[in-house]
Amino acid sequence: MLTGATVVLPAETVHNGQLVIDGTRIGHTAPQNAQAIDVTGHYVVPGFVDLHNHGGGGASFTSGSVDDILKGIHTHREHGTTTLLTSTVTGDMDFLTRRAGLLSELAEQGEIAGIHFEGPFISPCRKGAHAEDLLRDPHPAEVRTLLDAARGQAKMLTLATELPGGLDSVRLLAEHGVIAAIGHTDATYEQTVSAIDAGATVATHLFNAMPPLGHRSPGPIAALLEDDRITVELVNDGTHLHPAALQLAFHRAGADRVAFITDAMDAAGFGDGRYWLGPLEVEVADGVARLASDGTIAGSTLTLDRAFKRAVTVDGLSVEDTVRALSATPARLLGMSDRIGSLEPGKDADLVLLDAAYDLKGVMRRGEWVVAPQLG
């Protein structure tokens, strides 16, 4: 039983509250012999949910071994992310199908919530840190190949829906219960509206790797922000977005339509140096990841505890709205709101302990401390 905390619940924030942990779940009431931990002066918030993550701790989800992947997962758990999708990057189809098989085993074991395929079905005009020679149009048969390789563990696929086969692929994904995410796209406003009508529901790292907002040619950003069917990903690291752009997106879409993500690569939680993102070499300096070849931003080194603190202290968001964007909204998008995303009896005991300065002081996943409370 955690006592004395400021507990952020779905409907209210309770000061001097308590939270009961019963095994792997959040409990209703504490038994008389429950161990009490006094966390006065701290916030207790739900564990974070990351929809878009390529690695961390020096380990890659895109090319590493099982041990590497588990190391990366644990690194992000230590920073409060108790649920994540492992994201791939563009590769040839044989490599991606093999990768899907490996990642699906970890999903079946409960280590990850599923797979997010980012590429290869993206625009060469907006490729970002993806190998152009491996890009391809999103033909539904090839999309289906990836879904089959993932054995039901594919949760999201990012594609440029304006490419040949794009709308049919969106419909295929929707029919199979897989999130169709619009990203790395050169689509017009009208093409983006058509993709949303076909079943797309997510904007992959809004603003990044897509045409900028224009007053005569509004492009995809306006269409994605204005439609209540779309959840927008935002990378809140101070590099991917100017604070004014984040404010525009957050206040237009609202906390129920924003999912803060990391888009992290190997260097997250590890340090500067040279890394590989798929087949491309990345140089990380001062915490910013860029392609060694041309300086293009190549993912991030962000962890979600840092995204939380920045949202509250720099962007001026409320703790409650930040919690929704980091936990409740992505959990709902994944169809996992019955288990995660909020602190409610019966749900998984996934939580993060923050001090008054919003620094991480403890992480629990399914009732076990990943980071024991640091209350000194």
Side-chain angles (χ1 to χ4, degrees):
M1 182 171 63
L2 305 180
T3 65
T6 299
V7 184
V8 182
L9 302 175
E12 62 177 334
T13 296
V14 178
H15 300 280
N16 194 27
Q18 66 179 30
L19 190 73
V20 176
I21 310 302
D22 184 3
T24 63
R25 306 277 180 161
I26 297 172
H28 290 267
T29 56
Q32 290 185 345
N33 61 347
Q35 176 191 4
I37 302 175
D38 185 356
V39 292
T40 299
H42 292 73
Y43 290 90
V44 178
V45 301
F48 307 143
V49 181
D50 195 354
L51 301 172
H52 191 150
N53 191 317
H54 299 281
S60 172
F61 300 153
T62 66
S63 59
S65 66
V66 169
D67 286 344
D68 290 332
I69 297 166
L70 291 173
K71 178 182 178 183
I73 292 168
H74 186 72
T75 295
H76 284 282
R77 285 181 187 167
E78 290 180 323
H79 290 274
T81 299
T82 51
T83 302
L84 61 77
L85 298 184
T86 49
S87 300
T88 63
V89 294
T90 293
D92 65 47
M93 289 298 291
D94 287 343
F95 175 80
L96 289 173
T97 55
R98 293 194 303 272
R99 201 72 194 160
L102 184 151
L103 293 172
S104 66
E105 292 181 8
L106 292 174
E108 290 161 359
Q109 295 165 13
E111 296 290 348
I112 60 175
I115 305 167
H116 164 215
F117 292 104
E118 187 181 24
F121 310 117
I122 61 176
S123 171
C125 302
R126 305 287 175 177
K127 65 183 184 297
H130 290 255
E132 184 169 359
D133 61 324
L134 296 174
L135 301 182
R136 53 210 302 129
D137 291 337
H139 295 302
E142 292 196 329
V143 172
R144 181 62 187 266
T145 296
L146 290 185
L147 300 189
D148 290 344
R151 303 199 301 265
Q153 300 302 329
K155 302 301 180 185
M156 183 160 69
L157 188 146
T158 291
L159 69 164
T161 55
E162 76 278 8
L163 296 176
L167 293 183
D168 286 339
S169 291
V170 169
R171 296 184 186 102
L172 172 70
L173 292 167
E175 288 169 4
H176 285 80
V178 178
I179 297 164
I182 300 172
H184 289 275
T185 176
D186 203 41
T188 64
Y189 173 89
E190 291 77 14
Q191 288 171 324
T192 306
V193 169
S194 294
I196 297 170
D197 288 340
T201 56
V202 165
T204 295
H205 43 53
L206 186 75
F207 296 109
N208 299 116
M210 60 182 63
L213 183 66
H215 64 290
R216 291 193 182 92
S217 179
I221 294 171
L224 294 165
L225 277 178
E226 73 183 9
D227 198 306
D228 288 344
R229 293 173 289 182
I230 292 291
T231 299
V232 299
E233 294 182 346
L234 297 176
V235 185
N236 191 20
D237 63 350
T239 298
H240 279 72
L241 297 175
H242 189 282
L246 183 139
Q247 289 283 347
L248 171 66
F250 201 94
H251 290 295
R252 176 59 185 88
D256 292 331
R257 287 183 49 218
V258 168
F260 283 139
I261 61 162
T262 60
D263 194 12
M265 45 82 69
D266 312 18
F270 199 68
D272 291 352
R274 290 270 178 145
Y275 299 85
W276 291 92
L277 187 59
L280 302 179
E281 190 174 15
V282 176
E283 183 171 359
V284 179
D286 297 325
V288 178
R290 297 184 182 275
L291 291 183
S293 60
D294 62 9
T296 298
I297 290 177
S300 86
T301 63
L302 185 64
T303 52
L304 285 182
D305 58 329
R306 287 168 45 210
F308 190 112
K309 181 168 183 173
R310 180 178 177 84
V312 178
T313 62
V314 176
D315 302 311
L317 302 180
S318 70
V319 169
E320 292 79 6
D321 280 350
T322 302
V323 164
R324 280 194 282 274
L326 282 168
S327 302
T329 297
R332 173 185 51 76
L333 193 68
L334 290 175
M336 298 178 69
S337 291
D338 60 327
R339 287 183 44 204
I340 62 171
S342 60
L343 301 176
E344 297 178 87
K347 293 190 177 183
D348 288 354
D350 294 352
L351 61 87
V352 177
L353 190 66
L354 304 169
D355 66 15
Y358 310 107
D359 291 319
L360 185 144
K361 295 298 179 181
V363 180
M364 176 180 284
R365 182 175 185 267
R366 298 180 185 174
E368 297 288 338
W369 289 109
V370 177
V371 177
Q374 302 167 34
L375 306 175

